Amino acid sequence: MASHTRPLAIVTGASSGIGYELAKCCADYGFDVLIAADEPAITEAAQDFRTRGAAVETVEADLATLDGVDQLYATAKGRPVEALLANAGHGLGHGFLDQDFHDVRHVIDTNITGTLYLIQQVGRDMRTHGQGRILITGSVAGFMPGTFQAVYNGTKAFLNSFSWALRNELQDTGVTVTCLMPGATETAFFARADMLDTKVGQAEKDDPAEVAKTGFEAMMEGEGDVVYGWKNKLQTAMANVTPASMLAEQHRTKAEPGSGEQ
Ligand SMILES: NC(=O)c1ccc[n+]([C@@H]2O[C@H](COP(=O)([O-])OP(=O)(O)OC[C@H]3O[C@@H](n4cnc5c(N)ncnc54)[C@H](OP(=O)(O)O)[C@@H]3O)[C@@H](O)[C@H]2O)c1
């Protein structure tokens, strides 16, 4: 990295969507950024962050694999990481029995296994240094059984829960853990999950820049979690008092293949 006068942030999934906007927030705030994604688009994103004054390093790796995470961690070369924004993730539409198990596993390995492995590596260093901020991108999806997106919602329920537990374990260490829980957001997410023919895939969605700003600010404030937007806040409050069977049925109406307008 060219400059070491700025603190370092690692942002995963920074090539597009919410992660791209999170990395922008980091650069504008004064962080250098180490960014990772799975495709060459990450190098184009890096140019944008450089124009904002950040020294940027990129890693193109599949963060569903431990090797990919090792590659990312090694690129920091022992430089203290002040902020880890563990955001990379993806969904998978259609009925569970109709999904390819390879794809199922990739969702779990990206959203859970790779995310946790990275948080453990970086989190240990943060604890040793007595400071650090961790932002995990969970989801309001973690509040409801995800009919026709069942595995994804399960991974986000895991992350929402894990985030609070880790936060509590790290109290008094100087390391904070924050969970950003977006609702449906206008990114490549629904195309990648093959859900463009669904009601939720076609609905109007939140602005990823606004979602990211909310998450970044919550992380900097050291808050436990943040749900973006009043509609999503209402949805999560209702989910807490609604039977799971009803939530699963509601999710079907939004995520069933063909539920959108053709
Ligand atoms: N959009 C929504 O409605 C919504 C709502 C709640 C939560 N979220 C969460 O927000 C996060 C960001 O998603 P997004 O909506 O911004 O979608 P997105 O535009 O598709 O961005 C996903 C990012 O994650 C990266 N990524 C995915 N799998 C990866 C892997 N195995 N290895 C490395 N990088 C990987 C992608 O890079 P490549 O393209 O290079 O693979 C991309 O940079 C995800 O965790 C998602 O679950 C999204």
Side-chain angles (χ1 to χ4, degrees), residues 19-158:
Y20 175 85
E21 298 294 340
L22 284 170
K24 253 164 63 175
C25 290
C26 289
D28 289 346
Y29 184 85
F31 285 101
D32 286 340
V33 287
L34 170 51
I35 55 174
D38 200 13
E39 308 273 343
I42 193 69
T43 51
E44 289 160 36
Q47 289 305 337
D48 299 343
F49 309 140
R50 284 189 187 106
T51 63
R52 293 170 180 266
V56 183
E57 278 215 45
T58 63
V59 175
E60 195 185 316
D62 184 357
L63 299 177
T65 67
L66 300 192
D67 283 351
V69 174
D70 282 339
Q71 198 184 325
L72 169 59
Y73 180 69
T75 307
K77 298 189 187 85
R79 182 173 166 191
V81 177
E82 303 282 333
L84 169 62
L85 295 85
N87 164 81
H90 67 93
L92 185 63
H94 296 275
F96 174 67
L97 297 186
D98 301 320
Q99 293 170 342
D100 181 325
F101 197 73
H102 243 95
D103 298 337
V104 167
R105 190 161 172 190
H106 200 265
V107 173
I108 298 168
D109 288 348
T110 302
N111 299 6
I112 298 181
T113 312
T115 299
L116 264 57
Y117 184 49
L118 179 63
I119 290 172
Q120 193 180 59
Q121 306 297 310
V122 176
R124 282 176 177 157
D125 295 340
M126 286 178 169
R127 184 177 59 181
T128 301
H129 287 112
Q131 64 176 39
R133 298 171 194 285
I134 298 172
L135 181 71
I136 299 172
T137 305
S139 175
V140 301
F143 285 78
M144 57 204 83
T147 312
F148 296 110
Q149 176 110 265
V151 174
Y152 173 77
N153 282 40
T155 65
K156 291 296 166 172
F158 183 108

Side-chain angles (χ1 to χ4, degrees), residues 13 20 175 254:
Y20 175 85
V175 182
K254 294 186 298 186

